[in-house]
Amino acid sequence: MAVEQSDAIVLRVIPWSETSLIAHIYTRDFGKLSVLAKGARRPKSPFEAALDLLSICRVVFIAKGSDALDLLTEAKLTRRFRGGARELLRLYAGYYVAELLERLTDKQDRQPEIFDLAEATLAAISEPDQELAGVVLRWELQMLRLVGHLPSLRRCAHCGQDVADGPWWVFGTLASGVLCASCQVGQRQMIRVPSGAIDEMEQFSNSSWREIDISGLSPQHRSVIRGVVTRYLTVLLDRKLQMHPFLEELGR
Ligand SMILES: [Zn+2]
């Protein structure tokens, strides 16, 4: 048993007993963890208010290894998520950060860049002058990039050849990317996408994610890009994501 510490984002909090909680957290140094917080439901808890949903905190825990729950011994609040106080849509966007972290990452898969991206995304959601549709698209495409599931946007996802340039492209959600004319034959679940929307998706997939211009998502492509990313994630995860219906408005 080792005592570890890390920065963490609170993804989910579940009552465990009259006095204890189980928290799902995404840590910068250890990836996703489930921790038992004994006494967290007492009025004078050792964790104070650090274990609120989407809070960023500094945690100390005893790693139990294998399948046992790690034991949280300390959690100090660094920053509370403020997006919900601004507007409902920003609150849903915050929930969506937690949802994708839960769904797209595996336990103990250490990827500090995912933490940094999530932290920057929660901060941007909380800023009213940050374009929410752009913040959410960057979050989605960058998460896909970091977990190795970015769809193919220039080469045919089926045969690997460069797709001939044209005003319209065809995106196959089952094929995981754009399709050349010959590979479209017999494919299912295809979406016609204007080439400008493919360009914008590519910009938002850039590995220098801190440099992405969040306001660079043009109004005429919002709807089609929202549709492509929503359907792609639904197929990839083989489930409807809870937050997708609430985020449809971002495509308008
Ligand atoms: Zn092809």
mmCIF file of all heavy atoms in Angstrom, residues 69-89:
data_model
loop_
_atom_site.group_PDB
_atom_site.id
_atom_site.type_symbol
_atom_site.label_atom_id
_atom_site.label_comp_id
_atom_site.label_asym_id
_atom_site.label_seq_id
_atom_site.Cartn_x
_atom_site.Cartn_y
_atom_site.Cartn_z
ATOM 1 N N LEU A 69 -11.098 -0.702 -3.716
ATOM 2 C CA LEU A 69 -11.216 0.753 -3.771
ATOM 3 C C LEU A 69 -10.013 1.387 -3.088
ATOM 4 O O LEU A 69 -9.594 0.940 -2.023
ATOM 5 C CB LEU A 69 -12.468 1.196 -3.012
ATOM 6 C CG LEU A 69 -13.809 0.984 -3.663
ATOM 7 C CD1 LEU A 69 -14.901 1.300 -2.657
ATOM 8 C CD2 LEU A 69 -13.953 1.841 -4.899
ATOM 9 N N ASP A 70 -9.487 2.430 -3.701
ATOM 10 C CA ASP A 70 -8.439 3.181 -3.024
ATOM 11 C C ASP A 70 -9.090 4.004 -1.910
ATOM 12 O O ASP A 70 -10.261 4.356 -1.983
ATOM 13 C CB ASP A 70 -7.716 4.084 -4.019
ATOM 14 C CG ASP A 70 -6.992 3.275 -5.083
ATOM 15 O OD1 ASP A 70 -6.428 2.227 -4.735
ATOM 16 O OD2 ASP A 70 -7.022 3.675 -6.258
ATOM 17 N N LEU A 71 -8.296 4.301 -0.902
ATOM 18 C CA LEU A 71 -8.840 4.995 0.267
ATOM 19 C C LEU A 71 -8.400 6.447 0.259
ATOM 20 O O LEU A 71 -7.200 6.739 0.335
ATOM 21 C CB LEU A 71 -8.347 4.289 1.537
ATOM 22 C CG LEU A 71 -8.987 4.756 2.832
ATOM 23 C CD1 LEU A 71 -10.485 4.453 2.848
ATOM 24 C CD2 LEU A 71 -8.293 4.087 4.020
ATOM 25 N N LEU A 72 -9.383 7.337 0.157
ATOM 26 C CA LEU A 72 -9.072 8.767 0.135
ATOM 27 C C LEU A 72 -8.817 9.247 1.556
ATOM 28 O O LEU A 72 -9.616 8.997 2.454
ATOM 29 C CB LEU A 72 -10.250 9.529 -0.477
ATOM 30 C CG LEU A 72 -10.008 10.987 -0.847
ATOM 31 C CD1 LEU A 72 -9.051 11.073 -2.036
ATOM 32 C CD2 LEU A 72 -11.318 11.665 -1.204
ATOM 33 N N THR A 73 -7.690 9.923 1.768
ATOM 34 C CA THR A 73 -7.419 10.411 3.118
ATOM 35 C C THR A 73 -7.495 11.931 3.192
ATOM 36 O O THR A 73 -7.667 12.499 4.267
ATOM 37 C CB THR A 73 -6.025 9.952 3.610
ATOM 38 O OG1 THR A 73 -5.040 10.402 2.691
ATOM 39 C CG2 THR A 73 -5.958 8.444 3.726
ATOM 40 N N GLU A 74 -7.352 12.611 2.055
ATOM 41 C CA GLU A 74 -7.382 14.072 2.057
ATOM 42 C C GLU A 74 -7.859 14.573 0.708
ATOM 43 O O GLU A 74 -7.535 13.964 -0.323
ATOM 44 C CB GLU A 74 -5.946 14.589 2.250
ATOM 45 C CG GLU A 74 -5.775 15.618 3.342
ATOM 46 C CD GLU A 74 -4.318 16.088 3.377
ATOM 47 O OE1 GLU A 74 -3.485 15.302 3.884
ATOM 48 O OE2 GLU A 74 -4.050 17.188 2.882
ATOM 49 N N ALA A 75 -8.623 15.647 0.715
ATOM 50 C CA ALA A 75 -8.988 16.305 -0.546
ATOM 51 C C ALA A 75 -9.138 17.784 -0.266
ATOM 52 O O ALA A 75 -9.947 18.187 0.570
ATOM 53 C CB ALA A 75 -10.291 15.733 -1.090
ATOM 54 N N LYS A 76 -8.327 18.567 -0.943
ATOM 55 C CA LYS A 76 -8.383 20.034 -0.746
ATOM 56 C C LYS A 76 -8.845 20.686 -2.040
ATOM 57 O O LYS A 76 -8.267 20.453 -3.109
ATOM 58 C CB LYS A 76 -6.987 20.569 -0.396
ATOM 59 C CG LYS A 76 -6.636 20.439 1.064
ATOM 60 C CD LYS A 76 -5.684 21.576 1.490
ATOM 61 C CE LYS A 76 -5.489 21.606 2.988
ATOM 62 N NZ LYS A 76 -4.600 20.499 3.441
ATOM 63 N N LEU A 77 -9.860 21.509 -1.903
ATOM 64 C CA LEU A 77 -10.428 22.163 -3.084
ATOM 65 C C LEU A 77 -9.432 23.138 -3.711
ATOM 66 O O LEU A 77 -8.861 23.972 -3.024
ATOM 67 C CB LEU A 77 -11.693 22.920 -2.673
ATOM 68 C CG LEU A 77 -12.471 23.597 -3.796
ATOM 69 C CD1 LEU A 77 -13.106 22.579 -4.713
ATOM 70 C CD2 LEU A 77 -13.530 24.532 -3.227
ATOM 71 N N THR A 78 -9.235 23.007 -5.020
ATOM 72 C CA THR A 78 -8.410 23.975 -5.757
ATOM 73 C C THR A 78 -9.320 24.963 -6.477
ATOM 74 O O THR A 78 -9.145 26.168 -6.391
ATOM 75 C CB THR A 78 -7.532 23.264 -6.813
ATOM 76 O OG1 THR A 78 -6.839 22.198 -6.191
ATOM 77 C CG2 THR A 78 -6.555 24.231 -7.448
ATOM 78 N N ARG A 79 -10.310 24.421 -7.201
ATOM 79 C CA ARG A 79 -11.227 25.302 -7.913
ATOM 80 C C ARG A 79 -12.573 24.606 -8.113
ATOM 81 O O ARG A 79 -12.637 23.448 -8.503
ATOM 82 C CB ARG A 79 -10.651 25.708 -9.277
ATOM 83 C CG ARG A 79 -11.421 26.853 -9.910
ATOM 84 C CD ARG A 79 -10.690 27.526 -11.054
ATOM 85 N NE ARG A 79 -10.313 26.589 -12.097
ATOM 86 C CZ ARG A 79 -9.066 26.241 -12.381
ATOM 87 N NH1 ARG A 79 -8.068 26.744 -11.707
ATOM 88 N NH2 ARG A 79 -8.826 25.392 -13.332
ATOM 89 N N ARG A 80 -13.595 25.351 -7.814
ATOM 90 C CA ARG A 80 -14.943 24.837 -7.995
ATOM 91 C C ARG A 80 -15.387 25.121 -9.433
ATOM 92 O O ARG A 80 -14.957 26.111 -10.026
ATOM 93 C CB ARG A 80 -15.867 25.575 -7.019
ATOM 94 C CG ARG A 80 -17.158 24.889 -6.725
ATOM 95 C CD ARG A 80 -17.958 25.692 -5.729
ATOM 96 N NE ARG A 80 -17.346 25.733 -4.394
ATOM 97 C CZ ARG A 80 -17.302 24.699 -3.566
ATOM 98 N NH1 ARG A 80 -17.832 23.550 -3.908
ATOM 99 N NH2 ARG A 80 -16.744 24.805 -2.378
ATOM 100 N N PHE A 81 -16.247 24.261 -9.995
ATOM 101 C CA PHE A 81 -16.777 24.486 -11.343
ATOM 102 C C PHE A 81 -17.867 25.547 -11.273
ATOM 103 O O PHE A 81 -18.835 25.401 -10.531
ATOM 104 C CB PHE A 81 -17.338 23.173 -11.902
ATOM 105 C CG PHE A 81 -18.036 23.325 -13.212
ATOM 106 C CD1 PHE A 81 -17.336 23.735 -14.348
ATOM 107 C CD2 PHE A 81 -19.390 23.058 -13.332
ATOM 108 C CE1 PHE A 81 -17.985 23.873 -15.566
ATOM 109 C CE2 PHE A 81 -20.039 23.195 -14.550
ATOM 110 C CZ PHE A 81 -19.335 23.603 -15.670
ATOM 111 N N ARG A 82 -17.702 26.609 -12.053
ATOM 112 C CA ARG A 82 -18.623 27.746 -11.969
ATOM 113 C C ARG A 82 -19.594 27.811 -13.142
ATOM 114 O O ARG A 82 -20.415 28.718 -13.209
ATOM 115 C CB ARG A 82 -17.828 29.057 -11.946
ATOM 116 C CG ARG A 82 -16.897 29.176 -10.758
ATOM 117 C CD ARG A 82 -17.651 29.701 -9.549
ATOM 118 N NE ARG A 82 -16.771 29.830 -8.400
ATOM 119 C CZ ARG A 82 -17.212 29.806 -7.154
ATOM 120 N NH1 ARG A 82 -18.495 29.657 -6.891
ATOM 121 N NH2 ARG A 82 -16.378 29.918 -6.142
ATOM 122 N N GLY A 83 -19.421 26.892 -14.104
ATOM 123 C CA GLY A 83 -20.227 26.985 -15.324
ATOM 124 C C GLY A 83 -21.723 26.940 -15.067
ATOM 125 O O GLY A 83 -22.505 27.608 -15.739
ATOM 126 N N GLY A 84 -22.120 26.137 -14.066
ATOM 127 C CA GLY A 84 -23.547 25.964 -13.801
ATOM 128 C C GLY A 84 -24.231 27.233 -13.335
ATOM 129 O O GLY A 84 -25.432 27.408 -13.531
ATOM 130 N N ALA A 85 -23.465 28.128 -12.757
ATOM 131 C CA ALA A 85 -24.049 29.375 -12.275
ATOM 132 C C ALA A 85 -24.334 30.324 -13.429
ATOM 133 O O ALA A 85 -25.108 31.265 -13.301
ATOM 134 C CB ALA A 85 -23.102 30.028 -11.274
ATOM 135 N N ARG A 86 -23.688 30.100 -14.581
ATOM 136 C CA ARG A 86 -23.844 30.996 -15.733
ATOM 137 C C ARG A 86 -25.138 30.691 -16.487
ATOM 138 O O ARG A 86 -25.954 31.551 -16.710
ATOM 139 C CB ARG A 86 -22.679 30.837 -16.701
ATOM 140 C CG ARG A 86 -21.322 30.920 -16.050
ATOM 141 C CD ARG A 86 -20.847 32.349 -15.936
ATOM 142 N NE ARG A 86 -19.531 32.385 -15.317
ATOM 143 C CZ ARG A 86 -19.130 33.361 -14.524
ATOM 144 N NH1 ARG A 86 -19.917 34.357 -14.250
ATOM 145 N NH2 ARG A 86 -17.923 33.330 -13.996
ATOM 146 N N GLU A 87 -25.247 29.452 -16.939
ATOM 147 C CA GLU A 87 -26.438 29.047 -17.685
ATOM 148 C C GLU A 87 -26.510 27.532 -17.702
ATOM 149 O O GLU A 87 -25.505 26.854 -17.552
ATOM 150 C CB GLU A 87 -26.431 29.620 -19.107
ATOM 151 C CG GLU A 87 -25.159 29.327 -19.856
ATOM 152 C CD GLU A 87 -25.198 29.766 -21.317
ATOM 153 O OE1 GLU A 87 -26.192 29.484 -21.996
ATOM 154 O OE2 GLU A 87 -24.215 30.359 -21.770
ATOM 155 N N LEU A 88 -27.715 27.035 -17.928
ATOM 156 C CA LEU A 88 -27.941 25.593 -17.881
ATOM 157 C C LEU A 88 -27.085 24.842 -18.903
ATOM 158 O O LEU A 88 -26.537 23.785 -18.618
ATOM 159 C CB LEU A 88 -29.432 25.331 -18.134
ATOM 160 C CG LEU A 88 -30.007 24.051 -17.549
ATOM 161 C CD1 LEU A 88 -29.649 23.877 -16.090
ATOM 162 C CD2 LEU A 88 -31.517 24.044 -17.736
ATOM 163 N N LEU A 89 -26.967 25.421 -20.107
ATOM 164 C CA LEU A 89 -26.204 24.757 -21.161
ATOM 165 C C LEU A 89 -24.737 24.559 -20.746
ATOM 166 O O LEU A 89 -24.122 23.545 -21.077
ATOM 167 C CB LEU A 89 -26.292 25.599 -22.441
ATOM 168 C CG LEU A 89 -25.942 24.913 -23.759
ATOM 169 C CD1 LEU A 89 -26.733 23.629 -23.959
ATOM 170 C CD2 LEU A 89 -26.180 25.872 -24.925
#
